Amino acid sequence: MLAVTPQEQDALTRLGERLRRRRLLATEPQSRAASRIGVSLPTFRKLEQGDPTAQIGAWVRALRLYGDLGDLELLLPESLFDRDLTRQRAPRRQP
């Protein structure tokens, strides 16, 4: 598994800070926000702290609660991929 780079950690920390600001603007305690997106309070705290072990599904639900799911499409825009690529498999090992 790849280690989280400082730049990646900074990005996660900024995302967590934005989530916290949106929650505070909604005048919602962490416990209620956690309940609304279906995670435990410690998991919600991980999101706000930018913990890289937080599950992407929790982020998606938080985005739906406080943002716009359309923003999720910006993570991996279609233009990054060639639509004509076919799935390629690695050669099988011979015993």
Side-chain angles (χ1 to χ4, degrees), residues 2-93:
L2 295 173
V4 176
T5 67
Q7 294 85 1
E8 292 165 341
Q9 184 57 60
D10 287 345
L12 288 170
T13 300
R14 287 191 307 274
L15 285 173
E17 289 168 354
R18 283 185 223 141
L19 175 61
R20 182 175 188 272
R21 282 195 305 270
R22 290 201 179 179
R23 176 183 59 80
L24 292 174
L25 281 171
T27 62
E28 193 163 57
Q30 284 181 324
S31 58
R32 183 157 187 260
S35 176
R36 289 182 68 195
I37 66 170
V39 298
S40 66
L41 182 55
T43 297
F44 191 83
R45 286 183 177 146
K46 282 183 177 185
L47 294 174
E48 286 194 347
Q49 293 167 356
D51 188 321
T53 65
Q55 295 181 359
I56 189 71
W59 275 109
V60 169
R61 291 189 303 275
L63 183 57
R64 185 176 67 216
L65 179 62
Y66 293 117
D68 180 0
L69 280 179
D71 294 339
L72 192 59
E73 296 291 327
L74 298 174
L75 290 176
L76 287 172
E78 187 65 36
S79 63
L80 289 179
F81 303 99
D82 183 358
R83 295 178 190 200
D84 294 329
L85 287 178
T86 58
R87 183 173 176 216
Q88 296 186 11
R89 299 181 76 177
R92 291 183 183 232
R93 290 186 185 181

